[in-house]
Amino acid sequence: MDTLTHFQVFTTLLIRFLPVWIAMIATFALSVTFRKRLGLYGKLFDSTVGMVGLGFVLFWVFTALFADQIAPFDVLAQISPMKNVTAGTIEPNGAGVYLLGGDHLGRDVFSRMVAGSRIVISIAPLATLFAFMVGITLGLPAGFWGGKLDAVLSFLANLVLAFPVILLFYLLVTPEVVQTGLPQRMAAVLFILPLVFAILLTNSRLYVKPQLRNLIVGAIVVIGGWTYLALVSEADSGINVLPAAIDLIHVPANLLIVFVSVVFVNAPTVFRIVRGLTLDIRTRDYVAAAQTRGERPWYIMLWEILPNARGPLIVDFCLRIGYTTILLGTLGFFGLGLSPESPDWGSTINAGRKLLTTAPLPAIVPALALMSLVLGLNLLADGLREESLRD
Amino acid sequence: MTGFLLRRLALLVLTAFCLTMVVFYLTNLPPQLEKIAKFEAGARISDDEVTSWLNNHGYGRPFLARYGEWLGVVPGWTGTDTQGGAMGYCITKGVDPAAAPHYCGVLQGDWGYSSVFKQPVSSILSTRLGLTGILMFWVMVVMVPTSLLMGVLAGMREGSRLDRTLSTVAITTTSTPEYVSGVVLIVLFASSTVGLSPHLFDWGWISDRTLFKGSASSAMDGITFQNFTLPVITIALYGIGYIARMTRASMAEVMTAQYIRTARLKGLSFREVVMRHALRNALIAPFTVIMLQFPWLLNGVVITETLFNYKGFGWTLVQAAGNNDVPLLLGCSVVAVFVVLVTQLLSDVGYAFLNPRIRIG
């Protein structure tokens, strides 16, 4: 079979990513132009490290967004003569070029890597966000009130943290555990906290305007409550509260357990960070002033303490998305959760490692993709830390 | 100090107790018990037969009783098999049932019998832990000096070109999980078709087809430079960046302290200041970080041992979990949880010893 030269492969790859380049240039141009008005994000463009990090992250975000335009082949399409071919092999029947070679089933490595970015980019930030909302909702009162509540919550957090992550994954992410409906029950507990967070946030802010508050809190309860119930409730599982007609959100059980376990692993660390920050900020004068004004505890926690803890939390948020990406890769690497033909990076590394010494590309390509995304997030966090410390 | 230690030890035991209970619960859910019954008594048995088999073999007892049985505070179950002979939790084949003890749990030193390896769990764990211990020893030998040196050199002159270079290296290695670095290292150094090895072979620099071996299974009989380098580096790499960054931050902070300026002003050379004054204080924080790194290393060990097929503790954990080998999995989790908790305790105590400003009581 004919192959392209390395240079041709390289230029074709550059052209395939064209939508990504355009989007990145547009984002950077707009951000640099208006950076004075963009706060912390705008200041990021003063630091080289931060800009490089943002570049990597944006590259993968846009790749996930334009995955359908970039990937030349279907992720599951198997062309048997193309098994384990090298980079740039031209398909004999004119279907196209396998730019980064083929895997052991004759699928296009490049297309799978691009499609895999969509899975990572959609799960990792969302799971991190949930972990943050769980950690904040529990960490603020633990640090603010202390006492028995703090002791119990801290003990539970340390309990989860003492669990080796991989052991926890192996225990939770198995077909048998999914059968018992445990993921749904864990989701029921974990997903209610973001809802509680949203209600507390608006209620404490709008307490003095009862009519507006009733309207907005009511809307959150109805919409959020429905989303929550639709997410958790699933036919033929442990929890089935909503009738099928209005249960519109269907999360496959194996995806739900991956999501839940990643949130579960991350939340205790966020809890500890938030608790520590609250303990520190609680002693400040403006908190004492707020207490003297007669503000209620949740208002102080959510509108006095939390905004002042945002710097370290934003930095940790970036780092934690990277860590979550690594965790998702670990799950895929051990073949847990997602189906084996799923194009996510961990699973493809796992599938590719068996033939590593003869056909390295199927494993190396997703491995480097994962590394570059995590590196980007770490650099971005570094840049943000540098810039937020500057003032 | 004694009070602190006693309180921490009590907390450690309580945590281990809770965690083993969680593991016991998660490994003894009804679908898993059904799988065990079908594995032992034949895959085609009916649901009623599954229930009766489970009841006859002690699985029907309440959860807490069964956990107590494993722990050794509740008497083991006894029953009769199809031939009318006695069988039970504490009765092993070929031993007189009358002489068998009533209690035989972890507290009595009996960790149970692995269904995958057909060996007592305690003997499996001791051999596997020995193998992982050797791996960890070499990881520490590589990781600790490298990362401390990197951190000190980078933090010594903050913002210098050396600092920027080393910090970039550190941040790159922390972004490279073991399953990425392992794969990249194998392709670079242990493949006979791609990477460095074919070139080195053509130039006649190495006599084997590859520079290093991509599998460490031969390292279980004897460690050589060839079969052990890659797994050790794979694990060490992820930790190096993290410890180096912590050391750098600590070193940079110390270098701005007043007493360092005093030392400089009284005319000591930069080298002297770093070696005699800065290092001692800068290395306190990394000590804690290194101790707390153990739980992370445990993850690395599981991934690396699986990738390089080195049959140590991590590999055993994967086998036990993958095959639902309950006694072995419980044994592994007890060990893992104790490693995590004991290192946390040691890091707290060690920190107090190293830093006289910290008092614990």
Side-chain angles (χ1 to χ4, degrees), chain B residues 271-299:
Chain B
R271 194 192 152 81
E272 191 91 326
V273 172
V274 170
M275 298 299 282
R276 284 192 37 202
H277 296 271
L279 268 187
R280 293 175 57 160
N281 281 313
L283 292 183
I284 293 175
F287 168 79
T288 331
V289 177
I290 292 171
M291 291 310 285
L292 292 178
Q293 196 69 16
F294 270 91
W296 297 93
L297 286 176
L298 205 65
N299 279 339

PDB file of all heavy atoms in Angstrom, chain B residues 271-299:
ATOM      1  N   ARG B 271      27.370  29.616  47.856  1.00  0.00           N
ATOM      2  CA  ARG B 271      27.447  28.181  48.035  1.00  0.00           C
ATOM      3  C   ARG B 271      27.323  27.798  49.510  1.00  0.00           C
ATOM      4  O   ARG B 271      26.535  26.932  49.882  1.00  0.00           O
ATOM      5  CB  ARG B 271      28.815  27.765  47.494  1.00  0.00           C
ATOM      6  CG  ARG B 271      29.021  26.330  47.265  1.00  0.00           C
ATOM      7  CD  ARG B 271      30.530  26.124  47.030  1.00  0.00           C
ATOM      8  NE  ARG B 271      30.877  24.791  47.460  1.00  0.00           N
ATOM      9  CZ  ARG B 271      30.667  23.735  46.701  1.00  0.00           C
ATOM     10  NH1 ARG B 271      30.150  23.881  45.506  1.00  0.00           N
ATOM     11  NH2 ARG B 271      30.961  22.521  47.132  1.00  0.00           N
ATOM     12  N   GLU B 272      28.060  28.513  50.321  1.00  0.00           N
ATOM     13  CA  GLU B 272      28.063  28.267  51.763  1.00  0.00           C
ATOM     14  C   GLU B 272      26.669  28.508  52.359  1.00  0.00           C
ATOM     15  O   GLU B 272      26.174  27.732  53.173  1.00  0.00           O
ATOM     16  CB  GLU B 272      29.077  29.227  52.410  1.00  0.00           C
ATOM     17  CG  GLU B 272      29.373  28.925  53.839  1.00  0.00           C
ATOM     18  CD  GLU B 272      30.559  27.980  53.978  1.00  0.00           C
ATOM     19  OE1 GLU B 272      30.746  27.092  53.121  1.00  0.00           O
ATOM     20  OE2 GLU B 272      31.289  28.145  54.938  1.00  0.00           O
ATOM     21  N   VAL B 273      26.041  29.610  51.922  1.00  0.00           N
ATOM     22  CA  VAL B 273      24.707  29.959  52.425  1.00  0.00           C
ATOM     23  C   VAL B 273      23.724  28.843  52.098  1.00  0.00           C
ATOM     24  O   VAL B 273      22.968  28.380  52.955  1.00  0.00           O
ATOM     25  CB  VAL B 273      24.229  31.300  51.817  1.00  0.00           C
ATOM     26  CG1 VAL B 273      22.781  31.557  52.177  1.00  0.00           C
ATOM     27  CG2 VAL B 273      25.092  32.434  52.291  1.00  0.00           C
ATOM     28  N   VAL B 274      23.747  28.391  50.843  1.00  0.00           N
ATOM     29  CA  VAL B 274      22.813  27.347  50.418  1.00  0.00           C
ATOM     30  C   VAL B 274      23.068  26.065  51.190  1.00  0.00           C
ATOM     31  O   VAL B 274      22.151  25.475  51.776  1.00  0.00           O
ATOM     32  CB  VAL B 274      22.938  27.112  48.894  1.00  0.00           C
ATOM     33  CG1 VAL B 274      22.166  25.871  48.484  1.00  0.00           C
ATOM     34  CG2 VAL B 274      22.429  28.315  48.140  1.00  0.00           C
ATOM     35  N   MET B 275      24.339  25.641  51.232  1.00  0.00           N
ATOM     36  CA  MET B 275      24.646  24.342  51.817  1.00  0.00           C
ATOM     37  C   MET B 275      24.412  24.324  53.332  1.00  0.00           C
ATOM     38  O   MET B 275      23.879  23.365  53.866  1.00  0.00           O
ATOM     39  CB  MET B 275      26.111  23.957  51.542  1.00  0.00           C
ATOM     40  CG  MET B 275      26.470  23.802  50.092  1.00  0.00           C
ATOM     41  SD  MET B 275      25.514  22.519  49.293  1.00  0.00           S
ATOM     42  CE  MET B 275      26.362  21.080  49.878  1.00  0.00           C
ATOM     43  N   ARG B 276      24.832  25.395  54.030  1.00  0.00           N
ATOM     44  CA  ARG B 276      24.805  25.335  55.491  1.00  0.00           C
ATOM     45  C   ARG B 276      23.561  25.916  56.126  1.00  0.00           C
ATOM     46  O   ARG B 276      23.145  25.485  57.183  1.00  0.00           O
ATOM     47  CB  ARG B 276      26.052  26.018  56.057  1.00  0.00           C
ATOM     48  CG  ARG B 276      27.257  25.108  55.882  1.00  0.00           C
ATOM     49  CD  ARG B 276      28.470  25.539  56.633  1.00  0.00           C
ATOM     50  NE  ARG B 276      28.213  26.122  57.939  1.00  0.00           N
ATOM     51  CZ  ARG B 276      29.077  26.925  58.535  1.00  0.00           C
ATOM     52  NH1 ARG B 276      30.182  27.255  57.919  1.00  0.00           N
ATOM     53  NH2 ARG B 276      28.825  27.399  59.728  1.00  0.00           N
ATOM     54  N   HIS B 277      22.962  26.916  55.468  1.00  0.00           N
ATOM     55  CA  HIS B 277      21.831  27.588  56.114  1.00  0.00           C
ATOM     56  C   HIS B 277      20.495  27.262  55.478  1.00  0.00           C
ATOM     57  O   HIS B 277      19.531  26.967  56.173  1.00  0.00           O
ATOM     58  CB  HIS B 277      22.055  29.103  56.116  1.00  0.00           C
ATOM     59  CG  HIS B 277      23.225  29.525  56.922  1.00  0.00           C
ATOM     60  ND1 HIS B 277      23.136  29.812  58.260  1.00  0.00           N
ATOM     61  CD2 HIS B 277      24.529  29.674  56.588  1.00  0.00           C
ATOM     62  CE1 HIS B 277      24.327  30.137  58.718  1.00  0.00           C
ATOM     63  NE2 HIS B 277      25.201  30.056  57.722  1.00  0.00           N
ATOM     64  N   ALA B 278      20.430  27.323  54.157  1.00  0.00           N
ATOM     65  CA  ALA B 278      19.127  27.211  53.497  1.00  0.00           C
ATOM     66  C   ALA B 278      18.626  25.766  53.462  1.00  0.00           C
ATOM     67  O   ALA B 278      17.473  25.495  53.786  1.00  0.00           O
ATOM     68  CB  ALA B 278      19.207  27.771  52.083  1.00  0.00           C
ATOM     69  N   LEU B 279      19.513  24.824  53.085  1.00  0.00           N
ATOM     70  CA  LEU B 279      19.082  23.449  52.841  1.00  0.00           C
ATOM     71  C   LEU B 279      18.341  22.832  54.017  1.00  0.00           C
ATOM     72  O   LEU B 279      17.299  22.219  53.854  1.00  0.00           O
ATOM     73  CB  LEU B 279      20.295  22.580  52.507  1.00  0.00           C
ATOM     74  CG  LEU B 279      20.626  22.461  51.030  1.00  0.00           C
ATOM     75  CD1 LEU B 279      21.727  21.438  50.827  1.00  0.00           C
ATOM     76  CD2 LEU B 279      19.394  22.043  50.258  1.00  0.00           C
ATOM     77  N   ARG B 280      18.886  23.033  55.228  1.00  0.00           N
ATOM     78  CA  ARG B 280      18.308  22.372  56.400  1.00  0.00           C
ATOM     79  C   ARG B 280      16.846  22.732  56.583  1.00  0.00           C
ATOM     80  O   ARG B 280      16.011  21.893  56.868  1.00  0.00           O
ATOM     81  CB  ARG B 280      19.080  22.763  57.656  1.00  0.00           C
ATOM     82  CG  ARG B 280      20.475  22.218  57.633  1.00  0.00           C
ATOM     83  CD  ARG B 280      21.237  22.722  58.827  1.00  0.00           C
ATOM     84  NE  ARG B 280      20.540  22.358  60.063  1.00  0.00           N
ATOM     85  CZ  ARG B 280      21.134  22.316  61.233  1.00  0.00           C
ATOM     86  NH1 ARG B 280      22.396  22.625  61.326  1.00  0.00           N
ATOM     87  NH2 ARG B 280      20.460  21.987  62.299  1.00  0.00           N
ATOM     88  N   ASN B 281      16.537  24.014  56.399  1.00  0.00           N
ATOM     89  CA  ASN B 281      15.155  24.426  56.587  1.00  0.00           C
ATOM     90  C   ASN B 281      14.293  24.142  55.367  1.00  0.00           C
ATOM     91  O   ASN B 281      13.093  23.913  55.492  1.00  0.00           O
ATOM     92  CB  ASN B 281      15.087  25.918  56.903  1.00  0.00           C
ATOM     93  CG  ASN B 281      15.422  26.168  58.352  1.00  0.00           C
ATOM     94  OD1 ASN B 281      14.900  25.487  59.215  1.00  0.00           O
ATOM     95  ND2 ASN B 281      16.316  27.090  58.597  1.00  0.00           N
ATOM     96  N   ALA B 282      14.930  24.149  54.198  1.00  0.00           N
ATOM     97  CA  ALA B 282      14.148  23.960  52.979  1.00  0.00           C
ATOM     98  C   ALA B 282      13.691  22.517  52.831  1.00  0.00           C
ATOM     99  O   ALA B 282      12.742  22.235  52.111  1.00  0.00           O
ATOM    100  CB  ALA B 282      14.951  24.389  51.758  1.00  0.00           C
ATOM    101  N   LEU B 283      14.369  21.580  53.491  1.00  0.00           N
ATOM    102  CA  LEU B 283      14.055  20.171  53.258  1.00  0.00           C
ATOM    103  C   LEU B 283      13.014  19.618  54.231  1.00  0.00           C
ATOM    104  O   LEU B 283      12.672  18.443  54.173  1.00  0.00           O
ATOM    105  CB  LEU B 283      15.333  19.324  53.313  1.00  0.00           C
ATOM    106  CG  LEU B 283      16.285  19.603  52.140  1.00  0.00           C
ATOM    107  CD1 LEU B 283      17.488  18.690  52.196  1.00  0.00           C
ATOM    108  CD2 LEU B 283      15.569  19.438  50.822  1.00  0.00           C
ATOM    109  N   ILE B 284      12.480  20.463  55.117  1.00  0.00           N
ATOM    110  CA  ILE B 284      11.463  19.975  56.054  1.00  0.00           C
ATOM    111  C   ILE B 284      10.154  19.691  55.325  1.00  0.00           C
ATOM    112  O   ILE B 284       9.575  18.618  55.452  1.00  0.00           O
ATOM    113  CB  ILE B 284      11.225  21.009  57.174  1.00  0.00           C
ATOM    114  CG1 ILE B 284      12.486  21.118  58.027  1.00  0.00           C
ATOM    115  CG2 ILE B 284      10.056  20.584  58.042  1.00  0.00           C
ATOM    116  CD1 ILE B 284      12.401  22.194  59.083  1.00  0.00           C
ATOM    117  N   ALA B 285       9.710  20.659  54.515  1.00  0.00           N
ATOM    118  CA  ALA B 285       8.441  20.480  53.808  1.00  0.00           C
ATOM    119  C   ALA B 285       8.475  19.284  52.849  1.00  0.00           C
ATOM    120  O   ALA B 285       7.546  18.468  52.864  1.00  0.00           O
ATOM    121  CB  ALA B 285       8.061  21.759  53.080  1.00  0.00           C
ATOM    122  N   PRO B 286       9.522  19.129  52.037  1.00  0.00           N
ATOM    123  CA  PRO B 286       9.559  17.974  51.141  1.00  0.00           C
ATOM    124  C   PRO B 286       9.482  16.637  51.874  1.00  0.00           C
ATOM    125  O   PRO B 286       8.949  15.670  51.327  1.00  0.00           O
ATOM    126  CB  PRO B 286      10.905  18.110  50.428  1.00  0.00           C
ATOM    127  CG  PRO B 286      11.229  19.524  50.505  1.00  0.00           C
ATOM    128  CD  PRO B 286      10.617  20.055  51.754  1.00  0.00           C
ATOM    129  N   PHE B 287       9.963  16.586  53.113  1.00  0.00           N
ATOM    130  CA  PHE B 287       9.871  15.325  53.860  1.00  0.00           C
ATOM    131  C   PHE B 287       8.410  14.884  53.965  1.00  0.00           C
ATOM    132  O   PHE B 287       8.067  13.749  53.662  1.00  0.00           O
ATOM    133  CB  PHE B 287      10.472  15.499  55.264  1.00  0.00           C
ATOM    134  CG  PHE B 287      10.153  14.357  56.185  1.00  0.00           C
ATOM    135  CD1 PHE B 287      10.865  13.175  56.094  1.00  0.00           C
ATOM    136  CD2 PHE B 287       9.113  14.446  57.107  1.00  0.00           C
ATOM    137  CE1 PHE B 287      10.553  12.110  56.922  1.00  0.00           C
ATOM    138  CE2 PHE B 287       8.802  13.393  57.932  1.00  0.00           C
ATOM    139  CZ  PHE B 287       9.526  12.220  57.835  1.00  0.00           C
ATOM    140  N   THR B 288       7.548  15.822  54.370  1.00  0.00           N
ATOM    141  CA  THR B 288       6.122  15.510  54.476  1.00  0.00           C
ATOM    142  C   THR B 288       5.575  15.085  53.120  1.00  0.00           C
ATOM    143  O   THR B 288       4.819  14.121  53.017  1.00  0.00           O
ATOM    144  CB  THR B 288       5.339  16.759  54.940  1.00  0.00           C
ATOM    145  OG1 THR B 288       6.190  17.539  55.733  1.00  0.00           O
ATOM    146  CG2 THR B 288       4.122  16.379  55.689  1.00  0.00           C
ATOM    147  N   VAL B 289       5.980  15.830  52.081  1.00  0.00           N
ATOM    148  CA  VAL B 289       5.460  15.530  50.753  1.00  0.00           C
ATOM    149  C   VAL B 289       5.860  14.127  50.326  1.00  0.00           C
ATOM    150  O   VAL B 289       5.055  13.376  49.783  1.00  0.00           O
ATOM    151  CB  VAL B 289       5.964  16.585  49.748  1.00  0.00           C
ATOM    152  CG1 VAL B 289       5.500  16.249  48.355  1.00  0.00           C
ATOM    153  CG2 VAL B 289       5.478  17.951  50.145  1.00  0.00           C
ATOM    154  N   ILE B 290       7.127  13.761  50.620  1.00  0.00           N
ATOM    155  CA  ILE B 290       7.588  12.438  50.211  1.00  0.00           C
ATOM    156  C   ILE B 290       6.794  11.357  50.948  1.00  0.00           C
ATOM    157  O   ILE B 290       6.365  10.366  50.353  1.00  0.00           O
ATOM    158  CB  ILE B 290       9.102  12.278  50.477  1.00  0.00           C
ATOM    159  CG1 ILE B 290       9.888  13.197  49.537  1.00  0.00           C
ATOM    160  CG2 ILE B 290       9.545  10.846  50.259  1.00  0.00           C
ATOM    161  CD1 ILE B 290      11.345  13.284  49.849  1.00  0.00           C
ATOM    162  N   MET B 291       6.557  11.566  52.241  1.00  0.00           N
ATOM    163  CA  MET B 291       5.790  10.567  52.987  1.00  0.00           C
ATOM    164  C   MET B 291       4.370  10.467  52.440  1.00  0.00           C
ATOM    165  O   MET B 291       3.830   9.382  52.280  1.00  0.00           O
ATOM    166  CB  MET B 291       5.730  10.934  54.480  1.00  0.00           C
ATOM    167  CG  MET B 291       7.039  10.829  55.206  1.00  0.00           C
ATOM    168  SD  MET B 291       7.865   9.273  54.945  1.00  0.00           S
ATOM    169  CE  MET B 291       6.882   8.215  55.969  1.00  0.00           C
ATOM    170  N   LEU B 292       3.768  11.627  52.159  1.00  0.00           N
ATOM    171  CA  LEU B 292       2.392  11.606  51.678  1.00  0.00           C
ATOM    172  C   LEU B 292       2.315  11.123  50.232  1.00  0.00           C
ATOM    173  O   LEU B 292       1.241  10.900  49.701  1.00  0.00           O
ATOM    174  CB  LEU B 292       1.760  12.996  51.794  1.00  0.00           C
ATOM    175  CG  LEU B 292       1.545  13.454  53.234  1.00  0.00           C
ATOM    176  CD1 LEU B 292       0.960  14.843  53.263  1.00  0.00           C
ATOM    177  CD2 LEU B 292       0.634  12.495  53.981  1.00  0.00           C
ATOM    178  N   GLN B 293       3.471  10.967  49.601  1.00  0.00           N
ATOM    179  CA  GLN B 293       3.510  10.504  48.222  1.00  0.00           C
ATOM    180  C   GLN B 293       3.249   9.000  48.133  1.00  0.00           C
ATOM    181  O   GLN B 293       2.883   8.488  47.088  1.00  0.00           O
ATOM    182  CB  GLN B 293       4.884  10.852  47.630  1.00  0.00           C
ATOM    183  CG  GLN B 293       4.985  10.798  46.130  1.00  0.00           C
ATOM    184  CD  GLN B 293       4.192  11.894  45.471  1.00  0.00           C
ATOM    185  OE1 GLN B 293       3.803  12.856  46.104  1.00  0.00           O
ATOM    186  NE2 GLN B 293       3.917  11.746  44.202  1.00  0.00           N
ATOM    187  N   PHE B 294       3.413   8.288  49.252  1.00  0.00           N
ATOM    188  CA  PHE B 294       3.262   6.836  49.232  1.00  0.00           C
ATOM    189  C   PHE B 294       1.910   6.371  48.683  1.00  0.00           C
ATOM    190  O   PHE B 294       1.861   5.489  47.847  1.00  0.00           O
ATOM    191  CB  PHE B 294       3.492   6.256  50.628  1.00  0.00           C
ATOM    192  CG  PHE B 294       4.920   5.910  50.880  1.00  0.00           C
ATOM    193  CD1 PHE B 294       5.774   6.832  51.446  1.00  0.00           C
ATOM    194  CD2 PHE B 294       5.412   4.667  50.539  1.00  0.00           C
ATOM    195  CE1 PHE B 294       7.102   6.525  51.675  1.00  0.00           C
ATOM    196  CE2 PHE B 294       6.737   4.350  50.760  1.00  0.00           C
ATOM    197  CZ  PHE B 294       7.582   5.284  51.329  1.00  0.00           C
ATOM    198  N   PRO B 295       0.794   6.954  49.175  1.00  0.00           N
ATOM    199  CA  PRO B 295      -0.491   6.523  48.624  1.00  0.00           C
ATOM    200  C   PRO B 295      -0.582   6.713  47.117  1.00  0.00           C
ATOM    201  O   PRO B 295      -1.162   5.878  46.425  1.00  0.00           O
ATOM    202  CB  PRO B 295      -1.500   7.424  49.337  1.00  0.00           C
ATOM    203  CG  PRO B 295      -0.812   7.899  50.541  1.00  0.00           C
ATOM    204  CD  PRO B 295       0.634   7.911  50.255  1.00  0.00           C
ATOM    205  N   TRP B 296       0.035   7.798  46.622  1.00  0.00           N
ATOM    206  CA  TRP B 296       0.022   8.016  45.177  1.00  0.00           C
ATOM    207  C   TRP B 296       0.865   6.966  44.481  1.00  0.00           C
ATOM    208  O   TRP B 296       0.519   6.468  43.420  1.00  0.00           O
ATOM    209  CB  TRP B 296       0.571   9.397  44.843  1.00  0.00           C
ATOM    210  CG  TRP B 296      -0.231  10.494  45.383  1.00  0.00           C
ATOM    211  CD1 TRP B 296      -0.064  11.132  46.574  1.00  0.00           C
ATOM    212  CD2 TRP B 296      -1.374  11.089  44.788  1.00  0.00           C
ATOM    213  NE1 TRP B 296      -1.021  12.079  46.741  1.00  0.00           N
ATOM    214  CE2 TRP B 296      -1.837  12.080  45.667  1.00  0.00           C
ATOM    215  CE3 TRP B 296      -2.040  10.875  43.587  1.00  0.00           C
ATOM    216  CZ2 TRP B 296      -2.940  12.867  45.383  1.00  0.00           C
ATOM    217  CZ3 TRP B 296      -3.129  11.655  43.309  1.00  0.00           C
ATOM    218  CH2 TRP B 296      -3.571  12.633  44.201  1.00  0.00           C
ATOM    219  N   LEU B 297       2.003   6.651  45.105  1.00  0.00           N
ATOM    220  CA  LEU B 297       2.878   5.647  44.517  1.00  0.00           C
ATOM    221  C   LEU B 297       2.150   4.314  44.395  1.00  0.00           C
ATOM    222  O   LEU B 297       2.376   3.556  43.471  1.00  0.00           O
ATOM    223  CB  LEU B 297       4.135   5.484  45.365  1.00  0.00           C
ATOM    224  CG  LEU B 297       5.131   6.628  45.256  1.00  0.00           C
ATOM    225  CD1 LEU B 297       6.285   6.404  46.206  1.00  0.00           C
ATOM    226  CD2 LEU B 297       5.646   6.737  43.842  1.00  0.00           C
ATOM    227  N   LEU B 298       1.253   4.064  45.334  1.00  0.00           N
ATOM    228  CA  LEU B 298       0.493   2.823  45.296  1.00  0.00           C
ATOM    229  C   LEU B 298      -0.278   2.710  43.983  1.00  0.00           C
ATOM    230  O   LEU B 298      -0.302   1.661  43.347  1.00  0.00           O
ATOM    231  CB  LEU B 298      -0.474   2.810  46.477  1.00  0.00           C
ATOM    232  CG  LEU B 298      -0.920   1.461  46.984  1.00  0.00           C
ATOM    233  CD1 LEU B 298       0.245   0.705  47.551  1.00  0.00           C
ATOM    234  CD2 LEU B 298      -1.990   1.651  48.035  1.00  0.00           C
ATOM    235  N   ASN B 299      -0.904   3.827  43.565  1.00  0.00           N
ATOM    236  CA  ASN B 299      -1.578   3.849  42.268  1.00  0.00           C
ATOM    237  C   ASN B 299      -0.600   3.557  41.152  1.00  0.00           C
ATOM    238  O   ASN B 299      -0.874   2.752  40.264  1.00  0.00           O
ATOM    239  CB  ASN B 299      -2.177   5.237  42.011  1.00  0.00           C
ATOM    240  CG  ASN B 299      -3.487   5.409  42.703  1.00  0.00           C
ATOM    241  OD1 ASN B 299      -4.128   4.420  43.040  1.00  0.00           O
ATOM    242  ND2 ASN B 299      -3.873   6.639  42.914  1.00  0.00           N
TER     243      ASN B 299
END
